[in-house]
């Protein structure tokens, strides 16, 4: 597992999948993986939906307290909504994405209304804002139900979205009232709920479009592991970054936030115990708390006091933690996640936490949220890398035991006739502008029509009189009147010269068929040429 994989942008990894052609399937025992198309979809939704929740709470609490970073928080929330649109478009097209954008982006204003009503102590305005939120719940639930063709029933979607909105508002109300312990307990519950929504939504989408996701499922044991690690890692980052900010701001909520952060540590320890036993969990806890959580608190206090030596000492502790924890992960996974890669990733995570803190201290709030979002996204790469390492280490523990349907290759047939311009490409009939012919005992066919028929791209270079075929990662070049061609810069003998007729390049059918892996048969009765290949 390379470090660069852990650093891969989450949005590009998550939701864009090509359709898989073919209606018939065969079954094979699936190797457990955290990287199936369906699990990637779930992970992408994990990220986008949970970040929405985190930013919504941050925006509301900052706006109520008139924090100078409130505007930047709201902008980050609105950008998160816009970041969801390409993902929706990749599944439901431009029209579906536009409707999603209209509904979802509009609802971020309703939380602003709730904040303003609270500031003004205006019960009427609060009731109106809550009514607007309920309208959003109904409209968005109906949208999800219709988009998934009932795979996620509209009623269930409304219940899930309604609970989410209620949890956001409850955290806000409890925070404003000074009930910080209760607020952060609800905060953790609300964050966990977003991962429940992503599980349900990804299951609905993959059930609706099984071929698009290669018949994979998001809720496999390996998929559940990756999502659980996504949750724990992302929640840890949110706690780490926001605790340092609260501490620096001398917020009365700081100690309660640290207590809630301890709950995340306890859940991480329990997850480690479920995989590596109590001894492994105890070792995890010792490393995690020693030069990690405490060091972040030390940096906050040293920054407030202006003690640069103490800041340097605390940052050195974090470097030590990165090495120790990286070595722990390497040993625990039996180097399926190499210690060096793990150490590098942990250091990168800590740097992102500190970068966000430094920008907050500098009152660069737009920069703070840019760093926060980058650091939050990074944790989903960590979840993928660590989950993949554990699954590779213990495949039997994550085997579904159920055969998974896989697409079965379909026979593709292309038929032409000598002297006829009609082309039959797997049942689709069309006319060519030049017919196959026989010259000096060699049967020639138009290169362009065969290449385009199998999905390749054809280009003509007038300067060199070359026809260029782009088929996946392969590049084939043919030159008029030459008896050779080049495939990926490697010369091959054709046997007969390439010819041109009526502006079209013709090549020997036997050579081109073998080049692209087709079977070729002739029917002497009607001069037909049949090319077949399983695709």
């Amino acid at each position: 597992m390379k470090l660069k994989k852990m650093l891969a942008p989450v949005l590009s990894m998550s939701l864009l999948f090509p359709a898989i052609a073919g209606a018939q399937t065969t079954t094979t025992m699936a190797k457990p993986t955290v990287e199936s198309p369906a699990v990637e979809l779930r992970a992408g939704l994990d990220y986008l939906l949970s970040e929405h929740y985190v930013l919504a709470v941050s925006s509301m609490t900052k706006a109520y307290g008139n924090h100078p970073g409130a505007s930047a928080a709201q902008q980050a929330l609105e950008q998160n909504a816009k970041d969801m649109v390409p993902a929706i478009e990749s599944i439901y097209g431009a029209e579906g994405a536009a409707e999603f954008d209209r509904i979802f982006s509009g609802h971020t204003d309703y939380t602003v209304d709730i904040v303003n009503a609270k500031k003004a102590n205006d019960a009427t305005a609060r009731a109106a804002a809550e009514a607007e939120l309920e309208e959003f719940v109904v409209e968005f639930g109906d949208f999800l139900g219709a988009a998934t063709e009932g795979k996620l029933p509209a009623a269930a979607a409304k219940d899930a979205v309604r609970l989410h909105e209620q949890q956001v508002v409850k955290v806000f109300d409890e925070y404003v009232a000074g009930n910080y312990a209760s607020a952060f307990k609800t905060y953790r519950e609300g964050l966990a709920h977003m991962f429940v929504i992503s599980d349900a939504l990804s299951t609905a989408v993959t059930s609706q479009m099984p071929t698009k996701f290669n018949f994979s499922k998001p809720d496999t044991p390996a998929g559940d592991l990756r999502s659980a690690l996504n949750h724990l890692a992302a929640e840890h980052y949110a706690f780490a970054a926001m605790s340092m900010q609260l501490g620096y701001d001398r917020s009365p909520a700081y100690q309660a936030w640290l207590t809630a952060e301890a709950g995340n540590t306890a859940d991480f320890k329990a997850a480690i115990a479920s995989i590596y036993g109590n001894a492994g969990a105890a070792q995890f806890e010792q490393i995690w708390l020693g030069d990690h959580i405490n060091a972040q608190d030390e940096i906050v206090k040293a920054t407030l006091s202006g003690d640069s030596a103490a800041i340097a000492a605390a940052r050195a502790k974090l470097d030590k933690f990165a090495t120790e924890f990286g070595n722990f992960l390497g040993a625990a996974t039996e180097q399926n996640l190499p210690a060096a890669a793990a150490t590098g990733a942990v250091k990168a995570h800590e740097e992102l936490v500190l970068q966000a803190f430094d920008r907050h201290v500098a009152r660069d709030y737009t920069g703070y949220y840019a760093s926060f979002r980058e650091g939050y996204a990074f944790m989903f790469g960590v979840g993928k890398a660590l989950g993949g390492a554990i699954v590779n280490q213990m495949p039997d523990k994550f085997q579904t035991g159920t055969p998974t349907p896989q697409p079965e290759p379909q026979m593709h047939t292309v038929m032409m006739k000598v002297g006829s311009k009609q082309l039959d490409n797997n049942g689709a009939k069309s006319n060519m502008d030049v017919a196959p012919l026989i010259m000096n005992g060699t049967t020639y066919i138009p290169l362009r029509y065969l290449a385009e028929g199998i999905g390749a791209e054809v280009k003509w270079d007038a300067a060199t009189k070359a026809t260029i075929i782009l088929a996946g990662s392969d590049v084939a070049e043919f030159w008029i009147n030459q008896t050779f061609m080049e495939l990926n810069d490697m010369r091959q003998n054709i046997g007969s010269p390439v010819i041109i007729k009526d502006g079209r390049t013709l090549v020997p059918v036997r050579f081109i068929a073998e080049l692209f892996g087709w079977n070729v048969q002739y029917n002497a009765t009607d001069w037909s040429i049949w090319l077949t290949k399983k695709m």
Side-chain angles (χ1 to χ4, degrees), residues 31-266:
K31 179 181 177 182
T33 178
V34 300
E35 299 185 38
S36 72
V39 173
E40 292 287 4
L41 172 67
R42 180 180 178 182
L45 292 171
D46 280 350
Y47 162 60
L48 289 167
L49 296 177
S50 66
E51 187 193 46
H52 165 74
Y53 173 83
V54 169
L55 292 174
V57 171
S58 181
S59 177
M60 292 182 73
T61 54
K62 279 184 167 50
Y64 182 81
N66 295 317
H67 192 282
S71 176
Q74 181 66 21
Q75 289 172 8
L77 174 63
E78 292 171 359
Q79 186 58 51
N80 165 269
K82 293 300 182 184
D83 288 344
M84 295 187 192
V85 176
I88 299 298
E89 183 173 359
S90 73
I91 299 171
Y92 294 114
E95 185 176 349
E99 181 66 358
F100 166 86
D101 188 25
R102 181 189 68 80
I103 298 171
F104 197 85
S105 294
H107 97 285
T108 58
D109 293 337
Y110 303 155
T111 51
V112 175
D113 295 339
I114 287 179
V115 172
N116 291 335
K118 192 76 171 180
K119 283 182 176 182
N121 195 26
D122 187 336
T124 301
R126 172 65 180 256
E130 290 181 347
E132 288 180 327
L133 271 181
E134 179 59 22
E135 290 177 5
F136 161 72
V137 166
V138 172
E139 187 174 24
F140 192 50
D142 285 337
F143 168 80
L144 292 175
T148 63
E149 298 175 323
K151 295 295 184 180
L152 179 61
K158 292 172 189 175
D159 288 343
V161 176
R162 184 178 293 110
L163 177 58
H164 155 64
E165 298 297 345
Q166 289 170 347
Q167 287 169 325
V168 171
V169 173
K170 184 179 179 182
V171 173
F172 171 71
D173 285 340
E174 290 174 334
Y175 185 91
V176 169
N179 299 326
Y180 301 123
S182 179
F184 298 147
K185 178 178 180 293
T186 303
Y187 177 88
R188 296 197 67 210
E189 294 170 353
L191 183 61
H193 179 61
M194 303 311 286
F195 290 83
V196 174
I197 293 177
S198 63
D199 184 14
L201 184 54
S202 61
T203 298
V205 172
T206 54
S207 297
Q208 178 190 16
M209 306 176 182
T211 57
K212 189 177 183 69
F213 296 92
N214 203 13
F215 297 93
S216 59
K217 295 183 179 299
D219 55 351
T220 61
D224 290 342
L225 173 68
R226 180 174 170 183
S227 185
L229 292 172
N230 286 344
H231 177 195
L232 290 168
E235 185 184 52
H236 163 68
Y237 177 83
F239 272 120
M242 294 170 67
S243 69
M244 295 186 75
Q245 172 212 301
L246 290 171
Y248 182 80
D249 289 344
R250 294 184 171 90
S251 168
Y254 181 50
Q255 289 303 320
W257 189 257
L258 291 179
T259 300
E261 186 175 15
N264 170 264
T265 298

Side-chain angles (χ1 to χ4, degrees), residues 20-28 211 214-215 404-412 533-535:
I20 306 298
Q24 297 182 7
T25 63
T26 186
T27 56
T28 59
T211 57
N214 203 13
F215 297 93
T404 299
Q406 300 292 332
E408 183 174 286
Q410 301 295 297
M411 186 63 73
H412 193 110
K533 181 181 181 180
K534 283 192 174 183
M535 302 177 69

Side-chain angles (χ1 to χ4, degrees), residues 305-366:
S305 65
D307 189 339
S308 57
I311 292 172
R315 290 188 179 229
K317 285 184 178 181
L318 288 178
D319 286 340
K320 180 185 175 186
F321 160 72
T323 300
E324 290 179 346
F325 193 52
N327 288 336
F328 167 78
L329 292 176
T333 63
E334 299 174 322
Q335 300 303 319
N336 280 279
L337 178 59
T343 298
V346 176
K347 284 185 177 180
H349 154 65
E350 296 299 340
E351 288 169 0
L352 288 166
V353 172
L354 295 176
Q355 181 186 86
F357 176 67
D358 289 343
R359 289 180 171 178
H360 179 78
V361 171
R363 298 182 179 274
D364 176 11
Y365 301 115
T366 298

